[in-house]
Amino acid sequence: MLVTITLIHNQGTNLKYILPAYEQQTVHPLMFVFVLDRCTDNSLDLLQVFAGKFPTKIIETNSYGGFSAGACRDVGSDYVKNTQEFAMSSVLFLDGDCVPTPYLFEKTDTLLDSC
């Protein structure tokens, strides 16, 4: 049982590559969580289209004074931890500028299930 959390700060250009890579994964997570921090580009629009295809939670936040990956990770972690459906799930954190290989979610889920 895997949930992904992707941190986004004005990643519209990158999301055009990342979201198709998420769609093409051999295994999909229970939920895609995207934490958007002060996005002023088209990131939200792209994620809303993606959310129409897959279980997705989009959380908009305004970290303190500038992008803070730690604060955004905490927001995503708190959402997963406080959502009973996902509370016992493994979490994979992803950056909004990294395109995953097609088997990343499957291999991560298998590895974490074996622990």
Side-chain angles (χ1 to χ4, degrees), residues 1 80 83-90:
M1 294 188 354
V80 172
T83 303
Q84 187 167 352
E85 180 181 356
F86 309 123
M88 298 303 293
S89 298
S90 298

Side-chain angles (χ1 to χ4, degrees), residues 53-109:
K53 301 175 187 176
F54 297 95
T56 303
K57 174 68 175 176
I58 300 169
I59 303 169
E60 293 184 78
T61 187
N62 185 0
S63 64
Y64 308 99
F67 178 70
S68 170
C72 291
R73 280 188 196 95
D74 290 347
V75 168
S77 290
D78 287 345
Y79 170 76
V80 172
K81 180 176 63 176
N82 294 318
T83 303
Q84 187 167 352
E85 180 181 356
F86 309 123
M88 298 303 293
S89 298
S90 298
V91 175
L92 174 63
F93 286 97
L94 300 151
D95 289 331
D97 60 353
C98 296
V99 179
T101 61
Y103 298 98
L104 177 65
F105 298 168
E106 178 181 3
K107 289 181 178 183
T108 301
D109 193 41

Side-chain angles (χ1 to χ4, degrees), residues 23-75:
E23 291 180 22
Q24 296 169 0
Q25 291 293 307
T26 55
V27 169
H28 292 111
L30 295 171
M31 177 69 66
F32 289 96
V33 178
F34 294 93
V35 181
L36 281 70
D37 183 47
R38 299 173 301 109
C39 290
T40 57
D41 67 354
N42 65 336
S43 294
L44 179 60
D45 297 332
L46 295 169
L47 291 172
Q48 288 173 330
V49 171
F50 181 83
K53 301 175 187 176
F54 297 95
T56 303
K57 174 68 175 176
I58 300 169
I59 303 169
E60 293 184 78
T61 187
N62 185 0
S63 64
Y64 308 99
F67 178 70
S68 170
C72 291
R73 280 188 196 95
D74 290 347
V75 168

